[in-house]
Amino acid sequence: MTSSEQSPLTRKLSAFVALSEVELAVLERLHQRRRSFVAGRDMVHQGQSDQAAYILSAGWVCSYKLQADGTRQIVDFQVPGDFLGLRSVLLRTSDHSFEPIVNIEAAEVLKSDLLDAFAQTPRLATAILWAASRDEAMVVEHLVGIGRRDADARMAHFLLELGSRLALVGMGTKDGYDCPLTQYHLADVLGLSAIHVNRVLRQLRERGLVTFRDGRVSFEDHAGLVELAEFDAAYLDQSGPLLK
Amino acid sequence: MTSSEQSPLTRKLSAFVALSEVELAVLERLHQRRRSFVAGRDMVHQGQSDQAAYILSAGWVCSYKLQADGTRQIVDFQVPGDFLGLRSVLLRTSDHSFEPIVNIEAAEVLKSDLLDAFAQTPRLATAILWAASRDEAMVVEHLVGIGRRDADARMAHFLLELGSRLALVGMGTKDGYDCPLTQYHLADVLGLSAIHVNRVLRQLRERGLVTFRDGRVSFEDHAGLVELAEFDAAYLDQSGPLLK
């Protein structure tokens, strides 16, 4: 199988484990139940129980928590290769909701599928635990971002993180990436107002660092943006397989 | 083995999986390399690589991220039964630091120990993935707390969460729990000033909800505190084994 034929999840986990033929086969079998979901309609509701997890193979999703006052807080976005609700399939009730941002393709995964896969190849369990650890590291970075970074650095850090995540699954380069997010999505995840987001993006563009326009993030000065954000990608841990 | 002889981690994972004798034995073997650490000295440094993970069996630890300006942001506290750096053992370099708050006891766990344990009992891999998912759900709650809750609700939510976590390992009840945290720890994790923490605690005490004094959190009105915090413990998912 060439890397372009592999699922995004396989490409991603390959950054952690040098997968054997057997492990590759088990992983591809997890993609059997393919489903499509339309943009803007929740796939999993907060508080829902007995739900499946999904492996996202095409498109973007946002995960969010509903507040008692009816507002929502976006926790993160999922891109191809990411699990949707891996946490939800293990916890009794989902602690958050998922909404596709565009029409998406995803494979449904039941708890029994995970148990079967882990029984066949325990290294895969470690690889999926790695992916979950990486997801947690991202939430921690967002926590630090909201707590400590100013608006420019917060935006720069977020756009760089997305770029690294997409590069891992072959959907981004140091030049940039396609991005369906609106300024409202950015405002929500970064804890800024939409007007503030607009101003920050204009400043970053005018300083020649990055442009976000017409669904495309273009890095004009990747190194300069890394410096502004104090971005250290070590927490994304994607520099080639650790387990041989 | 009676539940009082079990390690806190075993008690905690039992909330997710009805563990078999074999699984119990594998889990207890993970506790072989026992270590002691003194209060106030980092066990794992952010940026350190090739480090072990630890299972905390006695005492409290805080995990934090260092900022470029030298300040630190506490991400969470660990209590008995929690992993320290499970994420660090899987990611190449640790994305955060650990500091014991009091003298602690912990068992060292290497990546190879985890792989061996998962190979012997894949259900244990699912249980540890559950624990990691729960940790992530807590970070998400803290993110929402800093983004959306006012200071009273944030404090109330945090004290209730700690109470539920400690109850799971037999160290807390609805009456309260012993707690070695200082007002500086609370200020740091909640994103408040120490003066603000002091004022919030006084208000909660004067309203007859909770008292935090002399190393003890006492719930005077647990239900009232739950209402104030809009605390829904579902994300802690600890209502008895899900996997039989």
Side-chain angles (χ1 to χ4, degrees):
Chain A
M1 199 171 352
T2 66
S3 80
S4 66
E5 289 165 334
Q6 289 176 344
S7 67
L9 176 62
T10 300
R11 293 183 68 153
K12 179 169 128 176
L13 295 185
S14 299
F16 177 66
V17 185
L19 295 158
S20 69
E21 285 301 313
V22 171
E23 286 161 345
L24 285 172
V26 170
L27 203 45
E28 292 302 323
R29 265 205 302 283
L30 281 181
H31 290 78
Q32 270 174 340
R33 276 187 297 280
R34 291 172 193 279
R35 300 287 197 84
S36 302
F37 296 90
V38 296
R41 197 177 304 162
D42 276 359
M43 305 167 61
V44 174
H45 298 284
Q46 188 171 328
Q48 189 180 337
S49 49
D50 289 325
Q51 67 284 30
Y54 298 89
I55 300 166
L56 185 58
S57 50
W60 290 54
V61 172
C62 83
S63 55
Y64 65 92
K65 303 261 304 181
L66 275 179
Q67 306 304 301
D69 64 3
T71 60
R72 69 182 201 175
Q73 161 114 29
I74 293 179
V75 173
D76 204 359
F77 300 98
Q78 283 71 44
V79 298
D82 288 345
F83 274 96
L84 311 176
L86 181 59
R87 186 160 98 226
S88 310
V89 79
L90 294 171
L91 303 187
R92 239 151 296 222
T93 43
S94 181
D95 71 327
H96 54 323
S97 303
F98 289 97
E99 182 188 293
I101 290 172
V102 294
N103 293 342
I104 64 157
E105 304 291 325
E108 189 184 59
V109 179
L110 305 177
K111 202 177 318 169
S112 54
D113 298 329
L114 277 183
L115 281 169
D116 289 349
F118 292 176
Q120 288 175 68
T121 159
R123 291 205 329 161
L124 194 61
T126 318
I128 289 178
L129 191 56
W130 167 83
S133 299
R134 192 170 167 271
D135 287 347
E136 187 188 349
M138 285 190 266
V139 180
V140 168
E141 279 294 330
H142 295 177
L143 181 68
V144 171
I146 285 190
R148 297 294 171 99
R149 289 188 195 108
D150 68 23
D152 284 10
R154 211 183 290 178
M155 176 69 78
H157 200 280
F158 180 76
L159 295 177
L160 286 165
E161 177 183 279
L162 271 178
S164 294
R165 293 169 65 187
L166 289 163
L168 183 59
V169 291
M171 298 176 66
T173 68
K174 287 215 164 163
D175 291 334
Y177 53 88
D178 292 333
C179 176
L181 302 181
T182 65
Q183 297 203 352
Y184 295 100
H185 288 123
L186 293 176
D188 197 343
V189 76
L190 297 173
L192 302 172
S193 70
I195 292 168
H196 202 169
V197 162
N198 195 39
R199 191 165 60 223
V200 167
L201 285 175
R202 194 179 61 234
Q203 283 164 353
L204 293 175
R205 187 175 67 236
E206 287 172 358
R207 289 166 68 181
L209 294 169
V210 62
T211 301
F212 183 11
R213 185 182 283 157
D214 300 332
R216 173 104 195 147
V217 172
S218 304
F219 296 126
E220 265 95 40
D221 178 0
H222 193 273
L225 202 62
V226 165
E227 195 182 328
L228 170 70
E230 295 174 356
F231 181 72
D232 174 358
Y235 71 101
L236 294 173
D237 194 56
Q238 53 190 50
S239 51
L242 184 64
L243 280 189
K244 308 289 181 191
Chain B
M1 198 169 352
T2 66
S3 81
S4 66
E5 288 166 335
Q6 288 176 345
S7 67
L9 176 62
T10 300
R11 293 183 68 151
K12 177 168 130 178
L13 295 186
S14 298
F16 177 67
V17 185
L19 295 158
S20 69
E21 286 301 313
V22 172
E23 287 161 345
L24 284 171
V26 170
L27 202 46
E28 292 302 322
R29 265 205 301 285
L30 280 181
H31 290 77
Q32 271 175 340
R33 277 187 296 278
R34 289 170 194 280
R35 301 287 196 83
S36 301
F37 296 90
V38 297
R41 198 177 303 161
D42 276 359
M43 305 168 60
V44 175
H45 298 284
Q46 185 171 329
Q48 190 180 338
S49 48
D50 289 324
Q51 67 284 33
Y54 298 90
I55 300 166
L56 185 58
S57 49
W60 289 55
V61 172
C62 83
S63 55
Y64 64 93
K65 303 262 304 182
L66 275 178
Q67 306 304 300
D69 65 4
T71 60
R72 69 183 200 172
Q73 162 114 26
I74 293 180
V75 173
D76 204 357
F77 301 98
Q78 282 71 43
V79 297
D82 287 345
F83 273 97
L84 311 176
L86 181 60
R87 187 161 95 225
S88 309
V89 78
L90 294 171
L91 303 187
R92 239 151 295 222
T93 44
S94 180
D95 71 325
H96 54 325
S97 303
F98 288 97
E99 182 188 293
I101 289 171
V102 294
N103 293 342
I104 64 155
E105 304 290 326
E108 188 186 61
V109 179
L110 306 177
K111 201 177 320 172
S112 55
D113 298 329
L114 277 183
L115 281 170
D116 289 349
F118 291 177
Q120 287 175 70
T121 158
R123 289 205 331 162
L124 194 60
T126 318
I128 290 178
L129 191 56
W130 169 81
S133 299
R134 194 170 165 271
D135 288 348
E136 187 188 348
M138 285 190 267
V139 180
V140 168
E141 278 294 329
H142 296 177
L143 180 68
V144 171
I146 286 191
R148 297 296 171 98
R149 288 186 195 110
D150 68 24
D152 284 10
R154 212 184 289 179
M155 175 70 76
H157 201 279
F158 180 75
L159 295 176
L160 287 165
E161 177 183 278
L162 270 178
S164 293
R165 293 169 65 187
L166 289 162
L168 184 59
V169 292
M171 298 177 65
T173 68
K174 288 216 164 163
D175 292 335
Y177 52 89
D178 292 333
C179 177
L181 302 182
T182 66
Q183 298 202 353
Y184 296 101
H185 288 123
L186 293 176
D188 197 343
V189 75
L190 296 174
L192 302 170
S193 69
I195 293 169
H196 202 170
V197 162
N198 195 38
R199 191 165 60 224
V200 167
L201 286 175
R202 194 180 61 234
Q203 283 165 352
L204 293 175
R205 187 174 67 238
E206 287 172 358
R207 290 167 70 181
L209 294 169
V210 63
T211 302
F212 183 11
R213 184 183 284 157
D214 301 331
R216 173 105 194 146
V217 172
S218 305
F219 295 127
E220 266 95 40
D221 179 0
H222 193 273
L225 203 62
V226 164
E227 196 183 324
L228 170 70
E230 295 176 353
F231 181 71
D232 175 356
Y235 71 101
L236 295 172
D237 194 56
Q238 52 190 49
S239 52
L242 185 63
L243 281 189
K244 308 289 179 189

